[in-house]
Short mmCIF file of all heavy atoms in Angstrom, two decimals:
data_model
loop_
_atom_site.label_atom_id
_atom_site.label_comp_id
_atom_site.label_asym_id
_atom_site.label_seq_id
_atom_site.Cartn_x
_atom_site.Cartn_y
_atom_site.Cartn_z
N ALA A 225 90.96 149.65 6.54
CA ALA A 225 89.66 149.76 5.97
C ALA A 225 88.67 148.74 6.47
O ALA A 225 87.43 149.03 6.54
CB ALA A 225 89.75 149.65 4.45
N ASP A 226 89.16 147.57 6.90
CA ASP A 226 88.31 146.52 7.35
C ASP A 226 87.76 146.86 8.79
O ASP A 226 86.86 146.12 9.26
CB ASP A 226 88.95 145.21 7.30
CG ASP A 226 90.23 145.14 8.22
OD1 ASP A 226 90.85 146.20 8.35
OD2 ASP A 226 90.65 144.07 8.57
N GLN A 227 88.33 147.81 9.51
CA GLN A 227 87.92 148.14 10.83
C GLN A 227 87.11 149.42 10.87
O GLN A 227 86.60 149.73 11.91
CB GLN A 227 89.12 148.27 11.69
CG GLN A 227 89.89 146.96 11.95
CD GLN A 227 91.17 147.18 12.61
OE1 GLN A 227 92.23 147.35 11.96
NE2 GLN A 227 91.19 147.24 13.95
N LEU A 228 86.95 150.15 9.79
CA LEU A 228 86.24 151.37 9.73
C LEU A 228 85.05 151.31 8.91
O LEU A 228 85.07 150.95 7.77
CB LEU A 228 87.14 152.58 9.15
CG LEU A 228 86.45 153.90 9.02
CD1 LEU A 228 86.25 154.49 10.40
CD2 LEU A 228 87.29 154.85 8.14
N GLU A 229 83.89 151.64 9.49
CA GLU A 229 82.57 151.67 8.84
C GLU A 229 82.10 153.14 8.84
O GLU A 229 82.25 153.80 9.81
CB GLU A 229 81.47 150.83 9.57
CG GLU A 229 81.95 149.38 9.82
CD GLU A 229 81.02 148.72 10.89
OE1 GLU A 229 79.82 149.08 10.91
OE2 GLU A 229 81.50 147.85 11.67
N VAL A 230 81.52 153.52 7.70
CA VAL A 230 81.07 154.88 7.58
C VAL A 230 79.66 154.96 7.12
O VAL A 230 79.23 154.15 6.23
CB VAL A 230 81.96 155.82 6.73
CG1 VAL A 230 83.35 155.98 7.35
CG2 VAL A 230 82.13 155.13 5.33
N TYR A 231 78.84 155.90 7.70
CA TYR A 231 77.48 155.97 7.37
C TYR A 231 76.99 157.41 7.35
O TYR A 231 77.47 158.27 8.09
CB TYR A 231 76.60 155.24 8.46
CG TYR A 231 76.93 153.80 8.64
CD1 TYR A 231 77.86 153.40 9.62
CD2 TYR A 231 76.34 152.85 7.89
CE1 TYR A 231 78.16 152.07 9.80
CE2 TYR A 231 76.56 151.51 7.99
CZ TYR A 231 77.55 151.07 9.04
OH TYR A 231 77.83 149.71 9.20
N LEU A 232 76.00 157.68 6.52
CA LEU A 232 75.19 158.89 6.69
C LEU A 232 74.21 158.66 7.91
O LEU A 232 73.96 157.47 8.26
CB LEU A 232 74.34 159.13 5.42
CG LEU A 232 75.13 159.43 4.15
CD1 LEU A 232 74.17 159.39 2.96
CD2 LEU A 232 75.79 160.74 4.25
N PRO A 233 73.83 159.70 8.54
CA PRO A 233 72.97 159.56 9.74
C PRO A 233 71.76 158.64 9.55
O PRO A 233 71.43 157.88 10.45
CB PRO A 233 72.54 160.95 10.17
CG PRO A 233 73.68 161.79 9.59
CD PRO A 233 74.11 161.15 8.31
N GLU A 234 71.09 158.79 8.32
CA GLU A 234 69.91 157.99 8.14
C GLU A 234 70.14 156.51 7.95
O GLU A 234 69.30 155.67 7.98
CB GLU A 234 69.12 158.52 6.94
CG GLU A 234 69.86 158.52 5.63
CD GLU A 234 70.63 159.83 5.36
OE1 GLU A 234 70.94 160.54 6.38
OE2 GLU A 234 70.78 160.16 4.17
N ASN A 235 71.41 156.11 7.75
CA ASN A 235 71.75 154.75 7.47
C ASN A 235 72.51 154.05 8.61
O ASN A 235 72.85 152.89 8.52
CB ASN A 235 72.57 154.67 6.18
CG ASN A 235 71.84 155.14 4.95
OD1 ASN A 235 70.62 154.97 4.87
ND2 ASN A 235 72.61 155.72 3.99
N GLN A 236 72.81 154.79 9.63
CA GLN A 236 73.69 154.24 10.73
C GLN A 236 73.01 153.13 11.44
O GLN A 236 71.77 153.12 11.67
CB GLN A 236 74.02 155.33 11.71
CG GLN A 236 72.83 155.85 12.52
CD GLN A 236 73.21 157.16 13.18
OE1 GLN A 236 73.98 158.01 12.68
NE2 GLN A 236 72.64 157.41 14.32
N PRO A 237 73.67 151.97 11.85
CA PRO A 237 73.16 150.98 12.52
C PRO A 237 72.89 151.29 14.03
O PRO A 237 73.43 152.26 14.49
CB PRO A 237 74.18 149.85 12.38
CG PRO A 237 75.48 150.59 12.29
CD PRO A 237 75.11 151.85 11.57
N GLU A 238 72.22 150.46 14.70
CA GLU A 238 72.05 150.57 16.19
C GLU A 238 73.21 149.84 16.87
O GLU A 238 73.49 148.75 16.54
CB GLU A 238 70.68 150.04 16.64
CG GLU A 238 69.52 150.86 16.13
CD GLU A 238 68.25 150.33 16.77
OE1 GLU A 238 68.20 149.56 17.68
OE2 GLU A 238 67.15 150.75 16.28
N PHE A 239 73.84 150.50 17.82
CA PHE A 239 74.93 149.98 18.52
C PHE A 239 75.30 150.76 19.71
O PHE A 239 74.79 151.90 19.87
CB PHE A 239 76.17 149.78 17.60
CG PHE A 239 76.68 151.19 17.06
CD1 PHE A 239 77.56 151.92 17.82
CD2 PHE A 239 76.10 151.68 15.90
CE1 PHE A 239 77.94 153.14 17.34
CE2 PHE A 239 76.55 152.92 15.41
CZ PHE A 239 77.46 153.66 16.13
N LYS A 240 76.08 150.23 20.56
CA LYS A 240 76.67 150.99 21.71
C LYS A 240 78.20 150.99 21.62
O LYS A 240 78.75 149.94 21.43
CB LYS A 240 76.13 150.49 23.00
CG LYS A 240 74.67 150.59 23.25
CD LYS A 240 74.28 152.06 23.53
CE LYS A 240 72.84 152.18 23.89
NZ LYS A 240 72.41 153.55 24.19
N ALA A 241 78.75 152.09 21.84
CA ALA A 241 80.22 152.20 21.79
C ALA A 241 80.84 152.56 23.14
O ALA A 241 80.19 153.01 24.06
CB ALA A 241 80.64 153.29 20.76
N ASP A 242 82.15 152.28 23.22
CA ASP A 242 82.82 152.60 24.42
C ASP A 242 83.29 154.00 24.47
O ASP A 242 83.45 154.59 25.54
CB ASP A 242 84.11 151.68 24.47
CG ASP A 242 83.79 150.19 24.41
OD1 ASP A 242 83.30 149.63 25.43
OD2 ASP A 242 84.14 149.56 23.34
N ILE A 243 83.50 154.55 23.29
CA ILE A 243 84.06 155.93 23.17
C ILE A 243 83.37 156.66 22.01
O ILE A 243 83.16 156.10 21.02
CB ILE A 243 85.58 155.89 22.99
CG1 ILE A 243 86.32 155.40 24.21
CG2 ILE A 243 86.13 157.26 22.51
CD1 ILE A 243 87.74 155.13 24.08
N VAL A 244 83.09 157.93 22.27
CA VAL A 244 82.63 158.79 21.16
C VAL A 244 83.48 160.03 21.09
O VAL A 244 83.86 160.64 22.11
CB VAL A 244 81.13 159.27 21.44
CG1 VAL A 244 80.76 160.41 20.48
CG2 VAL A 244 80.15 158.08 21.26
N VAL A 245 83.92 160.37 19.97
CA VAL A 245 84.64 161.67 19.72
C VAL A 245 83.87 162.43 18.68
O VAL A 245 83.48 161.90 17.62
CB VAL A 245 86.10 161.39 19.33
CG1 VAL A 245 86.24 160.58 18.03
CG2 VAL A 245 86.82 162.75 19.14
N ALA A 246 83.51 163.72 18.95
CA ALA A 246 82.64 164.44 18.08
C ALA A 246 83.31 165.87 17.94
O ALA A 246 83.25 166.73 18.76
CB ALA A 246 81.32 164.68 18.72
N ASN A 247 83.92 166.05 16.75
CA ASN A 247 84.60 167.29 16.40
C ASN A 247 83.68 168.03 15.40
O ASN A 247 83.90 167.91 14.16
CB ASN A 247 85.95 167.06 15.90
CG ASN A 247 86.75 168.35 15.53
OD1 ASN A 247 86.40 169.35 16.09
ND2 ASN A 247 87.71 168.23 14.65
N ILE A 248 82.67 168.70 15.88
CA ILE A 248 81.71 169.38 14.97
C ILE A 248 81.67 170.90 15.37
O ILE A 248 82.67 171.53 15.24
CB ILE A 248 80.37 168.69 14.90
CG1 ILE A 248 79.85 168.28 16.26
CG2 ILE A 248 80.44 167.42 14.02
CD1 ILE A 248 78.46 167.67 16.21
N LEU A 249 80.53 171.36 15.87
CA LEU A 249 80.44 172.72 16.34
C LEU A 249 79.47 172.69 17.52
O LEU A 249 78.78 171.79 17.82
CB LEU A 249 79.76 173.60 15.17
CG LEU A 249 80.68 173.87 13.98
CD1 LEU A 249 79.82 174.50 12.90
CD2 LEU A 249 81.82 174.78 14.38
N ALA A 250 79.57 173.77 18.32
CA ALA A 250 78.85 173.90 19.54
C ALA A 250 77.37 173.72 19.40
O ALA A 250 76.65 173.00 20.17
CB ALA A 250 79.14 175.25 20.25
N GLN A 251 76.80 174.39 18.38
CA GLN A 251 75.30 174.40 18.25
C GLN A 251 74.86 172.93 17.98
O GLN A 251 73.91 172.51 18.65
CB GLN A 251 74.88 175.29 17.10
CG GLN A 251 73.28 175.33 16.94
CD GLN A 251 72.89 176.40 15.95
OE1 GLN A 251 73.60 177.39 15.77
NE2 GLN A 251 71.78 176.19 15.38
N PRO A 252 75.34 172.23 16.99
CA PRO A 252 74.90 170.75 16.81
C PRO A 252 75.27 169.85 17.98
O PRO A 252 74.54 168.95 18.26
CB PRO A 252 75.61 170.35 15.49
CG PRO A 252 76.67 171.30 15.25
CD PRO A 252 76.24 172.59 15.91
N LEU A 253 76.33 170.18 18.69
CA LEU A 253 76.70 169.35 19.88
C LEU A 253 75.58 169.51 20.92
O LEU A 253 75.14 168.58 21.58
CB LEU A 253 78.01 169.77 20.48
CG LEU A 253 79.22 169.27 19.74
CD1 LEU A 253 80.52 170.00 20.33
CD2 LEU A 253 79.40 167.84 19.88
N ARG A 254 75.05 170.75 21.09
CA ARG A 254 73.97 171.00 21.99
C ARG A 254 72.64 170.38 21.49
O ARG A 254 71.96 169.69 22.24
CB ARG A 254 73.75 172.47 22.28
CG ARG A 254 74.98 173.13 22.99
CD ARG A 254 74.60 174.55 23.45
NE ARG A 254 74.44 175.39 22.21
CZ ARG A 254 75.44 176.26 21.82
NH1 ARG A 254 76.54 176.37 22.44
NH2 ARG A 254 75.21 177.05 20.79
N GLU A 255 72.34 170.65 20.25
CA GLU A 255 71.04 170.18 19.70
C GLU A 255 70.97 168.69 19.58
O GLU A 255 69.85 168.14 19.65
CB GLU A 255 70.81 170.86 18.34
CG GLU A 255 70.60 172.36 18.42
CD GLU A 255 70.49 172.97 16.99
OE1 GLU A 255 70.70 172.20 16.00
OE2 GLU A 255 70.14 174.14 16.90
N LEU A 256 72.07 168.05 19.32
CA LEU A 256 72.10 166.54 19.05
C LEU A 256 72.56 165.78 20.21
O LEU A 256 72.98 164.64 20.09
CB LEU A 256 72.98 166.29 17.80
CG LEU A 256 72.54 167.00 16.51
CD1 LEU A 256 73.60 166.68 15.41
CD2 LEU A 256 71.18 166.56 16.04
N HIS A 257 72.59 166.35 21.43
CA HIS A 257 73.19 165.67 22.62
C HIS A 257 72.51 164.34 22.91
O HIS A 257 73.26 163.41 23.26
CB HIS A 257 73.18 166.55 23.80
CG HIS A 257 71.83 166.75 24.42
ND1 HIS A 257 70.97 167.74 23.93
CD2 HIS A 257 71.15 166.23 25.46
CE1 HIS A 257 69.81 167.72 24.62
NE2 HIS A 257 69.92 166.78 25.51
N GLU A 258 71.21 164.26 22.64
CA GLU A 258 70.61 162.95 23.03
C GLU A 258 71.01 161.80 21.99
O GLU A 258 71.27 160.68 22.34
CB GLU A 258 69.07 163.09 22.94
CG GLU A 258 68.52 163.95 24.07
CD GLU A 258 67.00 163.99 24.08
OE1 GLU A 258 66.38 163.50 23.08
OE2 GLU A 258 66.39 164.62 25.00
N ILE A 259 71.19 162.23 20.70
CA ILE A 259 71.64 161.31 19.73
C ILE A 259 73.07 160.84 19.98
O ILE A 259 73.43 159.63 19.97
CB ILE A 259 71.52 161.87 18.27
CG1 ILE A 259 70.05 162.07 17.92
CG2 ILE A 259 72.24 161.02 17.24
CD1 ILE A 259 69.85 162.84 16.65
N ILE A 260 73.93 161.85 20.28
CA ILE A 260 75.36 161.52 20.53
C ILE A 260 75.50 160.74 21.75
O ILE A 260 76.25 159.71 21.73
CB ILE A 260 76.12 162.87 20.73
CG1 ILE A 260 76.09 163.64 19.32
CG2 ILE A 260 77.60 162.65 21.14
CD1 ILE A 260 76.68 165.12 19.41
N LEU A 261 74.88 161.03 22.86
CA LEU A 261 74.94 160.28 24.11
C LEU A 261 74.33 158.91 23.89
O LEU A 261 74.75 157.94 24.55
CB LEU A 261 74.30 161.06 25.21
CG LEU A 261 75.05 162.25 25.70
CD1 LEU A 261 74.14 163.07 26.58
CD2 LEU A 261 76.32 161.92 26.36
N GLY A 262 73.37 158.79 23.02
CA GLY A 262 72.76 157.46 22.75
C GLY A 262 73.68 156.43 22.21
O GLY A 262 73.43 155.23 22.26
N PHE A 263 74.84 156.87 21.64
CA PHE A 263 75.83 155.88 21.12
C PHE A 263 76.66 155.29 22.24
O PHE A 263 77.33 154.22 22.05
CB PHE A 263 76.80 156.62 20.16
CG PHE A 263 76.21 157.09 18.87
CD1 PHE A 263 76.28 158.38 18.52
CD2 PHE A 263 75.45 156.22 18.16
CE1 PHE A 263 75.77 158.82 17.32
CE2 PHE A 263 74.91 156.63 16.93
CZ PHE A 263 75.03 157.99 16.56
N LEU A 264 76.65 155.83 23.44
CA LEU A 264 77.62 155.47 24.47
C LEU A 264 77.04 154.46 25.50
O LEU A 264 75.92 154.51 25.85
CB LEU A 264 78.03 156.68 25.28
CG LEU A 264 79.25 157.45 24.75
CD1 LEU A 264 79.44 158.80 25.53
CD2 LEU A 264 80.55 156.65 24.81
N LYS A 265 77.89 153.46 25.80
CA LYS A 265 77.63 152.50 26.90
C LYS A 265 77.74 153.29 28.28
O LYS A 265 78.43 154.40 28.30
CB LYS A 265 78.67 151.42 26.86
CG LYS A 265 78.70 150.55 25.63
CD LYS A 265 79.75 149.48 25.74
CE LYS A 265 79.81 148.62 24.48
NZ LYS A 265 81.01 147.71 24.53
N PRO A 266 77.18 152.75 29.29
CA PRO A 266 77.42 153.37 30.58
C PRO A 266 78.91 153.29 30.90
O PRO A 266 79.66 152.35 30.56
CB PRO A 266 76.72 152.38 31.61
CG PRO A 266 75.56 151.82 30.74
CD PRO A 266 76.17 151.63 29.37
N GLN A 267 79.39 154.38 31.44
CA GLN A 267 80.78 154.63 31.81
C GLN A 267 81.64 154.74 30.52
O GLN A 267 82.85 154.49 30.47
CB GLN A 267 81.33 153.41 32.63
CG GLN A 267 80.73 153.32 34.05
CD GLN A 267 81.13 154.51 34.92
OE1 GLN A 267 82.22 154.61 35.47
NE2 GLN A 267 80.17 155.41 35.06
N GLY A 268 80.93 155.11 29.42
CA GLY A 268 81.69 155.37 28.19
C GLY A 268 82.36 156.80 28.17
O GLY A 268 81.84 157.70 28.89
#
């Protein structure tokens, strides 16, 4: 529990991650691609 943080989208902090995993649906994956990719560092 001390290593997992959870947020609603409107409350999420700004950060860059090494890895993103998104198990949702094709339509939101397409529509939200800029947001999803915005979490990733270069070469993430």
Side-chain angles (χ1 to χ4, degrees):
D226 59 337
Q227 294 169 266
L228 178 69
E229 306 166 32
V230 291
Y231 301 96
L232 296 171
E234 59 266 28
N235 299 327
Q236 67 196 32
E238 292 187 10
F239 59 90
K240 292 290 184 179
D242 303 289
I243 289 173
V244 168
V245 59
N247 182 21
I248 45 177
L249 290 169
Q251 183 174 331
L253 284 170
R254 292 188 294 258
E255 293 177 351
L256 302 175
H257 70 278
E258 292 183 354
I259 294 173
I260 294 170
L261 290 167
F263 294 126
L264 272 172
K265 298 175 181 177
Q267 297 292 284

